[in-house]
């Protein structure tokens, strides 16, 4: 199959209509969102959704998020509650996904047989225009090949899915760069299943009790039941061994400068550290305090690390709270819990 990449804005109506028609006819279309690129299919069409799993090589028991263009369209696919609308009024459209009891119209292929469905109303204008033009809810996981970092540009999608899907809508770089915050509601409490740019602190404005599922910071034990199927999958790990350095206990620059002398390694450093390191195979993540930029660069840099063909990658251990929690959650999985230094550490 030939994969076409089309540059789009919310005003390129012809391409959006064409993409909407493709989706309605059961085809797959990759599209930008404010978090990462999604691989979309008609959420009412079980066969189309099965094709998503084939194209990505995704395990069929990992359910998909269904995207709507207005928060109220959740009614077409799920049973909502007052807390859903309180969340919607504050965070939607935006990078928040809410798990709700599903309605019959959503086929089990989308939800991996669960009786709940993940609902998200993206803020990206192209994503919303596409949903509106297709006139259907769009089931879409991240548009990477399973096992790769989520794509934050159309190039990433093309590298992973070229020849497997007919159309990629190129809307430029994603604003946030990590996948949406996924939450579930239980007895009036919010449980964060996957951290994202809507932080637990932000959610506490709407709901008194916000818990963070244990698997967000730790690996599940083999006998533990996952609240969200995505938690139990081995996440992206670079080809090289990634080590996270706890810089509260170890001098990052001194440590990595020594490694640069003896190892074929890449260093994910802060901009401020560049002048103090050898200028080879550096992957600057941004300024130390600029968590938003570090979040946006995360998956791009992990892809670059693979392209550098190094044996090891060294990076800072991110903080595990606030805006940093989303980065911590992805990095701790990517490094297979190899942490050097005191906190959580080996040494
Ligand atoms: O930002 C995002 O959420 C992106 C863009 C494209 O919207 N999508 C995305 O989808 O990251 P995906 O499939 O890569 O991740 C969806 C996560 C998975 O961890 C999955 O297990 C979880 O949401 N999930 C989906 N439906 C669920 C359900 N009914 N119950 C619990 N977890 C669910
Ligand atoms: Mg994904």
């Amino acid at each position: 199959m030939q994969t076409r990449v089309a540059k789009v804005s919310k005003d390129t109506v012809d391409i959006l209509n064409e993409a909407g028609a493709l989706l309605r006819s059961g085809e797959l279309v990759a599209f930008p969102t404010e978090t990462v690129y999604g691989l979309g299919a008609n959420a009412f069409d079980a066969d189309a959704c099965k094709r998503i799993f084939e194209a990505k090589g995704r395990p069929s028991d990992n359910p998909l998020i269904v995207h709507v263009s207005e928060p109220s369209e959740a009614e077409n696919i799920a049973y909502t509650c007052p807390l859903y609308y309180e969340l919607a009024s504050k965070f939607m459209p935006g990078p928040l996904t809410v798990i709700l009891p599903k309605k019959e119209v959503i086929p089990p292929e989308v939800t991996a047989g669960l009786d709940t469905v993940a609902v998200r109303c993206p803020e990206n204008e192209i994503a919303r225009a596409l949903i509106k033009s297709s006139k259907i809810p769009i089931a879409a996981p991240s548009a990477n090949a399973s096992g790769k970092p989520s794509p934050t540009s159309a190039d990433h999608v093309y590298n992973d899915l070229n020849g497997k899907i007919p159309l990629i809508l190129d809307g430029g770089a994603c604003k946030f760069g990590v996948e949406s915050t996924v939450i579930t509601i239980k007895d009036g409490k919010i449980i964060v299943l996957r951290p994202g740019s809507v932080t637990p602190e932000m959610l506490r404005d709407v709901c008194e009790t916000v818990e963070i599922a244990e698997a967000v910071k730790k690996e599940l034990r083999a006998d533990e039941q996952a609240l969200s199927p995505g938690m139990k999958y081995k996440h992206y790990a670079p080809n090289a061994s990634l080590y996270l350095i706890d810089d509260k206990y170890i001098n990052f620059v001194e440590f990595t400068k020594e490694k640069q002398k003896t190892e074929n390694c890449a260093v994910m450093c802060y901009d401020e550290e560049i002048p103090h390191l050898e200028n080879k195979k550096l992957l600057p993540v941004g300024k130390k305090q600029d968590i938003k930029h570090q979040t946006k660069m995360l998956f791009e840099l992990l892809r670059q690390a693979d392209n550098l063909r190094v044996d090891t990658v060294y990076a800072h251990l991110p903080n595990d709270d606030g805006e940093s929690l989303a980065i911590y959650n992805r990095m701790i999985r990517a490094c297979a819990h190899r942490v050097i230094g005191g906190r959580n550490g080996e040494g």
Side-chain angles (χ1 to χ4, degrees):
M1 182 187 292
Q2 193 83 7
T3 299
R4 196 173 127 219
V5 181
K7 288 238 186 275
V8 282
S9 71
K10 71 173 183 357
D11 303 319
T12 45
V13 177
D14 287 355
I15 297 171
L16 288 168
N17 284 342
E18 187 191 330
L22 269 175
L23 286 167
R24 265 199 315 281
S25 73
E27 296 290 341
L28 307 185
V29 175
F31 62 97
T33 83
E34 70 279 15
T35 57
V36 301
Y37 275 70
L39 178 59
N42 178 352
F44 295 140
D45 181 340
D47 288 334
C49 291
K50 272 192 209 156
R51 236 173 270 148
I52 291 180
F53 291 88
E54 282 161 25
K56 279 181 59 94
R58 179 178 174 106
S60 61
D61 63 348
N62 195 6
L64 309 176
I65 294 175
V66 180
H67 298 68
V68 294
S69 68
E70 299 293 339
S72 60
E73 288 168 9
E75 301 294 343
N76 300 332
I77 57 175
Y79 296 96
T80 62
C81 57
L83 183 51
Y84 168 80
Y85 281 102
E86 282 170 52
L87 288 161
S89 72
K90 199 130 187 156
F91 303 114
M92 292 184 192
L96 179 70
T97 297
V98 184
I99 312 284
L100 294 169
K102 89 180 209 30
K103 287 190 173 164
E104 197 67 25
V105 282
I106 294 295
E109 283 77 4
V110 171
T111 62
L114 298 175
D115 53 12
T116 51
V117 61
V119 181
R120 159 155 147 76
C121 177
E123 77 177 42
N124 179 287
E125 303 232 32
I126 296 161
R128 292 184 80 199
L130 176 66
I131 305 166
K132 281 191 200 298
S133 105
S134 71
K135 303 186 180 70
I136 43 172
I138 299 180
S142 49
N144 52 294
S146 231
K148 290 279 192 166
S150 291
T152 52
S153 72
D155 269 359
H156 297 164
V157 181
Y158 188 81
N159 287 338
D160 284 11
L161 300 179
N162 179 26
K164 297 188 168 158
I165 58 173
L167 181 62
I168 300 170
L169 300 181
D170 180 355
C174 298
K175 175 176 160 188
F176 291 109
V178 286
E179 307 89 340
S180 62
T181 304
V182 179
I183 62 168
T184 188
I185 298 169
K186 201 180 157 207
D187 305 328
K189 285 186 314 196
I190 289 176
I191 305 173
V192 177
L193 304 180
R194 181 176 72 183
S197 297
V198 174
T199 63
E201 290 74 13
M202 290 159 74
L203 292 165
R204 279 189 193 109
D205 279 351
V206 175
C207 179
E208 223 167 272
T209 316
V210 177
E211 292 175 1
I212 299 169
E214 234 184 290
V216 165
K217 295 192 191 183
K218 292 201 306 211
E219 230 159 1
L220 282 177
R221 293 188 313 269
D223 60 341
E224 248 173 320
Q225 171 94 39
L227 285 175
S228 172
M231 289 171 165
K232 69 173 189 249
Y233 287 105
K234 190 174 152 21
H235 276 257
Y236 169 74
N239 299 326
S241 305
L242 171 66
Y243 290 89
L244 301 183
I245 296 166
D246 190 340
D247 56 22
K248 290 198 178 63
Y249 300 91
I250 287 178
N251 182 315
F252 186 86
V253 167
E254 294 302 319
F255 183 91
T256 51
K257 210 157 77 179
E258 280 307 306
K259 293 291 181 191
Q260 282 186 312
K261 287 181 192 155
T262 56
E263 287 180 18
N264 176 22
C265 63
V267 181
M268 294 174 71
C269 61
Y270 297 132
D271 289 356
E272 295 89 332
E273 293 166 336
I274 297 171
H276 308 293
L277 289 163
E278 257 188 77
N279 188 14
K280 62 175 190 197
K281 300 188 178 170
L282 295 183
L283 299 169
V285 299
K287 292 207 170 64
K288 184 171 189 219
Q289 301 301 337
D290 193 350
I291 308 297
K292 283 199 170 63
H293 183 75
Q294 291 169 30
T295 307
K296 190 169 169 164
M297 293 304 291
L298 179 64
F299 291 138
E300 161 71 27
L301 292 176
L302 288 173
R303 281 179 183 255
Q304 280 184 25
D306 274 344
N307 296 338
L308 287 174
R309 299 182 186 286
V310 289
D311 301 321
T312 41
V313 179
Y314 295 98
H316 288 270
L317 174 68
N319 287 332
D320 62 357
D321 58 6
E323 283 185 311
S324 296
L325 179 63
I327 305 182
Y328 179 89
N329 169 262
R330 276 52 168 203
M331 286 295 265
I332 207 79
R333 282 166 170 70
C335 82
H337 295 258
R338 277 184 291 255
V339 179
I340 300 176
R343 179 162 63 100
N344 311 335
E346 292 172 344

